């Protein structure tokens, strides 16, 4: 199981997600450009000493990530408020990449179209979205239940 962050723009969320990946032994991908340098103190503080314990693959662009994905032969599951499948109904595979969009803007249409599946977390009406790290935790929990512990 892998997590990919599309052009993350909030360092604290990225650090939190990398710590999450370290704790659950998930590979992390960062699709550049990020909205902050990895030396950012908020990023380092949120990731704490866990950043040395996570496998991070950086992709210079979306096209470089697409190239890596073809070579890795894996599915991309996009977490999006515009998804069509509730995340609990999705069937996950251990090689899936769970793709998270920018906190401020999600992903462009071209990125959404490239996903093999688009899942959503059902929420109360009039609520826009969850924090990206919280959304990842929910979906990863279900994906791991199905693939590691199911």
């Amino acid at each position: 199981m892998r997590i990919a962050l599309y052009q993350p723009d909030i360092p604290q969320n990225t650090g939190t997600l990398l710590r999450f990946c370290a704790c659950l032994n998930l590979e992390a991908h960062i699709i550049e450009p990020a909205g902050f340098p990895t030396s950012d103190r908020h990023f380092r503080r949120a990731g704490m000493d866990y950043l040395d314990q996570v496998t991070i693959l950086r992709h210079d662009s979306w096209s470089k990530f697409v190239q890596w994905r073809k070579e890795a032969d894996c599915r991309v599951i996009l977490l999006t408020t515009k998804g069509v499948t509730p995340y609990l109904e999705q069937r996950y595979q251990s090689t899936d990449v769970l793709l998270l969009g920018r906190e401020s803007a999600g992903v462009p249409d071209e990125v959404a179209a490239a996903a093999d599946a688009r899942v959503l977390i059902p929420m109360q009406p009039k609520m826009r979205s969850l924090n990206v790290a919280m959304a990842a935790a929910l979906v990863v929990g279900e994906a791991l239940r199905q693939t590691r512990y199911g």
Side-chain angles (χ1 to χ4, degrees), residues 58-134:
R58 298 180 84 94
H59 305 276
D60 292 338
S61 64
W62 171 248
S63 62
K64 295 280 186 178
F65 174 79
V66 169
Q67 180 182 357
W68 170 86
R69 175 208 177 174
K70 286 180 184 174
E71 293 168 7
D73 191 30
C74 56
R75 298 187 315 170
V76 171
I77 312 296
L78 175 64
L79 284 64
T80 174
T81 58
K82 299 174 186 143
V84 293
T85 304
Y87 81 101
L88 292 171
E89 294 177 16
Q90 176 67 36
R91 292 294 142 236
Y92 300 94
Q93 299 173 5
S94 62
T95 56
D96 284 346
V97 176
L98 303 177
L99 178 61
L100 302 157
R102 289 182 70 114
E103 294 91 339
S104 61
V107 299
D109 291 342
E110 125 187 43
V111 172
D116 296 292
R118 288 169 291 287
V119 300
L120 71 113
I121 297 168
M123 295 184 297
Q124 293 296 311
K126 298 183 183 179
M127 297 292 114
R128 286 191 320 269
S129 65
L130 291 170
N131 171 282
V132 69
M134 297 302 294

Side-chain angles (χ1 to χ4, degrees), residues 3 12 17-18 23 40 48-49 52-53 62 66 79 82 92 99 116 125 129 133 142-143 147:
I3 289 181
Q12 297 92 327
L17 283 162
L18 293 177
C23 289
D40 183 285
M48 299 174 54
D49 56 340
D52 295 331
Q53 305 300 316
W62 171 248
V66 169
L79 284 64
K82 299 174 186 143
Y92 300 94
L99 178 61
D116 296 292
S129 65
E142 176 60 17
T147 61

